[in-house]
Amino acid sequence: MSLFAFLGTLEIGLVYGLVALGVYLTFRVLDFPDLTVDGSFPMGGAVAATAIVAGVNPWLATGLAVLVGGMCGLVTAFLAVRCGILHLLASILTMIAAFSINIRIMGRPNMALLGEPTIFTAFDNMGLDPLYSHLGVIFLLVLFAAFFVTRLLASDFGLALRATGVNGRMVSAQGGSIGFYTYLGLALSNGLVGFSGALFAQSNSFADVTSGVGTIVVGLAAVILGQTLIPGRRIWVAVVAVIVGSILYRLAVGFALSSGMFGMQASDLNLVTAVLVAIALIAPKMKGKMRLKAVQARRAK
Amino acid sequence: MKRLKVVSVFCAAALVIVSAAGVLAQTYKVAVSQIVEHPALDATRQGLLDGLKAKGYEQGKNLEFVYQTAQGNPAIAVQIAKQFVGEKPDVLVGIATPTAQALAASTRTIPVIFTAVTDPLGAKLITDLEHPGGNVTGLSDLTPVAQHVDLMQELVPDLKTIGVVYNPGEANAVALVDLLKSAAKNKKIQVVEGTALKSADVQGAARIIASEVQVIYAPTDNTVASAIDALIGVANQAKIPVFGGTTSFVENGAVASLGFDYYQVGVQTAEYVEAVLTGQKVGDIPVTFAKGSDLFLNQEAADNLGITFSEAMLERASSIKK
Amino acid sequence: MIHLEDIGVTFNANTILENQALRGISLTVAERQFVTVIGSNGAGKSTLLGAVSGETPISRGRVEIDEVEVTKWPVHRRARYAARVFQNPLAGTCATLTIEENMALAYGRGKRRGWRLALSAKRRRLFQDRIAILGLGLEDRLGDSIGLLSGGQRQAVSLVMATLSDSRLLLLDEHTAALDPRMAAFILKLTNTVVEEFALTVMMVTHSMKDALACGDRTVMLHQGKIVLDVAGEERDQLDVPQLLEMFSKVRGEELADDSLLLG
């Protein structure tokens, strides 16, 4: 892998690290399997791209994307909490609706940002090498998001959010509304995903409605991969782990793409993903079994 | 100022030396990124490869031809772009819009040739068709839709309604359907739309519109192309002809088509690649629309549907499937 | 403190499984009163507690806590008035959180949960002081996951958690039933201490006649969704378990007599 490809891979890994954070919040913290991300990711891109082309300041456009992504989460929460639709189904409904809405937002399925101002433009104008400056800006933004999530989960609000996914009855008994935390948890998660979509569109100069396909799989792969390799009960460890998981996932994809390596080609990617996630799921069990065997062997002696 | 001039002269000289070295070494690296694998785009790639061979660039001899597909996923297209740019090939070729955009966004220096992109201006790949200016140029596969409407009218004399199945999520397809609608409007023909978000939906979408229309237009939409057999099967059941947006659909059972086949688009793309390899400045190579006005007819399908081709049509046809 | 007016609860209304769990219960519990609730299985004890906490939707009637009508309030809104300890030790705590995090959750009951750090040094000191009362050595294990504790230890922590915010009502739903006798006795003793120290009003559901008389100052017996006995003061002081059992079987006997009359 060349340096250029490596840095590019890091960049995409970090951008999708925000997706992993969002997926971590829903799947792990809130125990709410949420597929909305397949819709909120391209929507973040669509909103940011449309706003930028309409002349809105790129930072403001990115903020808008976060808000709109959060709104996708609220819709899913509404369907699940208020209308009592099974969470998985509720999120699928939002996801497919988002596809149509994304086309409405952009007025077409693909919107280009080549030559438009982005959050990176100011740094490009300073004469910095975009290869490093874009990566740096994205790194700082992801770091900020990671800090925000860590700090939030350590707050009174975050504690209740964490308990909601484990013991909802206890949360209501302690005066917390499960519905409220579901709404805010999903909004937060999809806000992060919308943020990711906006960064993706700006760093790659296009927003495309098809870019949402499989976002949830990538996010889950990152969460599972990261938490398996970097286990730990502490919040900041988990937050770092899922972002690292996202980068590792992209590196794995990058290696699969490196021409000639292991005789792999891009069409093997889905297989690579499936194998990665499967290994990550099996590994902890294997570890446990091996430890058990070692203990038994010691006892036998 | 003077210093700058010196530097630029030096750079130019260096460039000449480098490119001369390339000629001497006699191997060129062409990296092709394709958004998804399906017959039309695969044909484009094959055409490109064969076109290059005809011009003396042969794989394994003086040509390194690298190819990756993004499986329809723009994020993977971006990773492929980063990978390719890092490998510093002589020419990057992007087949279809998102792959071309990903390549163009990843480099300002390596020449990027796009192909099978319907609307390169809308995709912001270039800002000027005649003088692209930057490191990007290529070939648009904008379909001659207006001529298609004329032909459909020739096939079905009292044509009032045209059905079209397409994926509203594909930039190319939406542009084509817009063209179709405006061309039809001029002739007071109604267009009935059937939308399919994935290839599995094509059959259903065709069923819904089949009873309301006299002819179904199959645009060069990636989703429709993947399920063209299903579409034609439905039309045959409903006894209405399918008009192909690309000539390759005639082989699948469409009654007629006018245009280029994607193999030819690939061959024409090879001209761009050659131009770049021989040292032409990318910014000076104008964007062109894919050439070819081949009329393809399918006698077998016409017989089944009870349609007779006029003598004039048969005369013009460059290929008739018996 | 609690005022219930003609509470009726019907499960699966208008179906073949229709079950009238409560049939018109009216009960007023005064400030600082400690009421024990007994009755056979299915008598409606836990349903009654659910009607107060809001966990059981009521079909008719009116619920007031602290002179505020809360009939239509959801569980979490009523939680500001009432702390609860459940029968199942797993239900009252969050297994994946640490002891101190569980306590912080309880600390926030009835307050706005915002951006403030859940575990400040000040709060930690408070939690340490409170949990030290238990004498279980948990004050040095605040950072341990609560899932590591035994059922009894978890119930003990739950009781401490109930005192962390300033609600004055404590609802206990057979909170010793899942424990071994020794631990049950410890929790009951702890309950009395806590109630005394924090001047709480209590409704305690129990299946133990002995506990029902030993704890508190008023005992209510439910049967088939109705209050069949309500004793306090001297009358209660003179009651012993055999007498209570006798009354209990008398109530059931009358019911049998009614049936035989009907059949006859």
Side-chain angles (χ1 to χ4, degrees), chain A residues 8 11-13 15-16 38 41-43 45-46 99 102 106 109-111 196-197 199-215 218 249-250 253 257 266 269-270, chain B residues 33-37 68-83 95-106 167 169-171 222:
Chain A
E11 192 180 303
I12 302 172
V15 168
Y16 272 86
D38 274 28
F41 182 83
M43 196 175 285
F99 188 90
N102 288 340
M106 296 192 286
N110 178 296
M111 194 157 216
S196 176
L199 289 185
F200 181 85
Q202 293 179 72
S203 76
N204 299 300
S205 301
F206 69 95
D208 194 295
V209 285
T210 61
S211 64
V213 179
T215 306
V218 175
Y249 172 79
R250 287 297 162 185
V253 170
L257 285 173
L269 272 183
N270 290 355
Chain B
S33 174
Q34 181 177 324
I35 188 69
V36 68
E37 283 185 310
Q68 292 283 7
T69 165
Q71 308 266 292
N73 186 332
I76 304 292
V78 168
Q79 273 200 276
I80 292 173
K82 308 273 184 202
Q83 192 83 39
I95 304 181
T97 307
T99 22
Q101 283 172 322
L103 288 172
S106 298
N167 181 350
E170 277 187 35
N222 292 327

Side-chain angles (χ1 to χ4, degrees), chain A residues 147-148 151-152 154-160 162-163 166-167 169-178 180-181 233, chain C residues 55 76 79 84 86 90-94 96-98 101-102 104-106 109 113-118 123 143 161:
Chain A
F147 176 77
F148 173 78
R151 176 61 181 77
L152 184 82
S155 71
D156 279 326
F157 170 85
L159 203 56
R162 282 154 68 195
V166 185
N167 188 347
R169 192 174 174 211
M170 182 242 192
V171 171
S172 4
Q174 299 300 347
S177 158
I178 302 170
F180 173 76
Y181 289 107
R233 221 169 35 77
Chain C
E55 217 161 53
H76 63 87
R84 288 155 72 200
F86 300 103
L90 301 174
T93 50
C94 184
T96 53
L97 298 184
T98 61
E101 283 168 339
N102 271 281
L105 259 180
R109 185 155 43 79
R113 293 178 204 269
W115 180 251
R116 195 190 279 261
L117 263 186
R123 283 194 198 173
M161 280 163 60

Side-chain angles (χ1 to χ4, degrees), chain A residues 71-88:
Chain A
M71 268 153 63
C72 290
L74 289 182
V75 172
T76 300
F78 176 81
L79 291 175
V81 174
R82 193 61 185 275
C83 311
I85 300 174
L86 184 72
H87 34 29
L88 207 60

